[in-house]
Amino acid sequence: NYAVDYDGDGHPNLLRSAPDVIGSTANYIAKGLNWRRGEPWLQEVRVPQSFPWEQSDLSVKLSRAKFSQLGVTYPDGRPLPNDDMQASLLLPMGRTGPAFLAYANFAAYTEWNNSLIYSTTAAYLAARIAGAPPMRPPSAPVAQLPLNELKEMQQLLVRAGFNVGKVDGIMGQLSRTAVKAMQVKYGLPADSWPTAELLARMRGAPRQGAMN
């Protein structure tokens, strides 16, 4: 339905022509997934520590005007446009790591590839190719749990009634959503990033039934 002859040999070939595969994939994202030509899909921002972290989630959409009211700016301190364009605040490494506004085009891309790590990397590289400066490095190293503890956290989330997909130590969107819910429960900053503090709280929690 979306195949295109991108190499110009007269017919689309999705088995043997890499250009046709690339062009057809782009055509599918553009037309099948409603890509919005001319709009951004991922932009780096700076977020104040006073931000209500429960609002940082791909499922939460706010206008750029609202993000501006909450203190979010471009990395160099310039204000965001005071408009109604909707976006979500994406914190790939929690509130101490880089921060991005993810737009409708990012959602379209993740419909094609729902790996959060893959899609964030692709979107960041696309922004850099388009002229965006390198992202600001964190002010301090971001603490990361080792793989065995990430798996343990996923197992505890499953025990608490959450669907995290495969228990593999990879914190995809299902795991991040569950982490956020537990952070809210324990009164921790709800930035979806698995921390040692959250793991310690969950280790001491009694066994629970399914949670909605």
Side-chain angles (χ1 to χ4, degrees), residues 44-47 49 53 90-100 135-143 191 193:
E44 186 183 6
V45 291
R46 180 184 294 180
V47 184
Q49 288 303 304
W53 299 112
L90 174 62
L91 304 174
M93 301 179 73
R95 66 191 187 281
T96 60
F100 301 94
M135 77 173 79
R136 294 184 311 123
S139 56
V142 178
D191 61 359
W193 184 246

Side-chain angles (χ1 to χ4, degrees), residues 43-199:
Q43 288 181 329
E44 186 183 6
V45 291
R46 180 184 294 180
V47 184
Q49 288 303 304
S50 59
F51 188 84
W53 299 112
E54 66 277 3
Q55 298 296 311
S56 60
D57 193 89
L58 290 177
S59 65
V60 178
K61 292 179 173 53
L62 303 174
S63 68
R64 291 196 292 196
K66 180 61 176 179
F67 277 118
S68 184
Q69 293 173 11
L70 293 172
V72 179
T73 67
Y74 286 122
D76 59 6
R78 289 181 297 116
L80 298 175
N82 187 32
D83 59 27
D84 293 330
M85 181 174 282
Q86 299 289 298
S88 301
L89 182 61
L90 174 62
L91 304 174
M93 301 179 73
R95 66 191 187 281
T96 60
F100 301 94
L101 287 186
Y103 294 91
N105 282 339
F106 186 79
Y109 192 83
T110 55
E111 282 192 54
W112 173 65
N113 190 316
N114 63 6
S115 166
L116 188 62
I117 294 173
Y118 181 98
S119 296
T120 302
T121 301
Y124 170 71
L125 290 176
R128 294 279 287 115
I129 291 170
M135 77 173 79
R136 294 184 311 123
S139 56
V142 178
Q144 300 186 63
L145 295 178
L147 183 64
N148 64 308
E149 292 188 351
L150 290 172
K151 288 182 178 180
E152 180 186 356
M153 180 175 288
Q154 287 178 317
Q155 290 167 345
L156 291 171
L157 289 169
V158 171
R159 183 186 302 173
F162 292 99
N163 174 20
V164 301
K166 187 177 179 181
V167 176
D168 54 7
I170 299 174
M171 305 304 285
Q173 189 56 43
L174 288 175
S175 293
R176 289 172 62 90
T177 298
V179 165
K180 176 182 283 291
M182 296 305 287
Q183 288 172 326
V184 171
K185 175 181 178 179
Y186 290 118
L188 301 173
D191 61 359
S192 304
W193 184 246
T195 62
E197 183 178 10
L198 177 60
L199 181 58

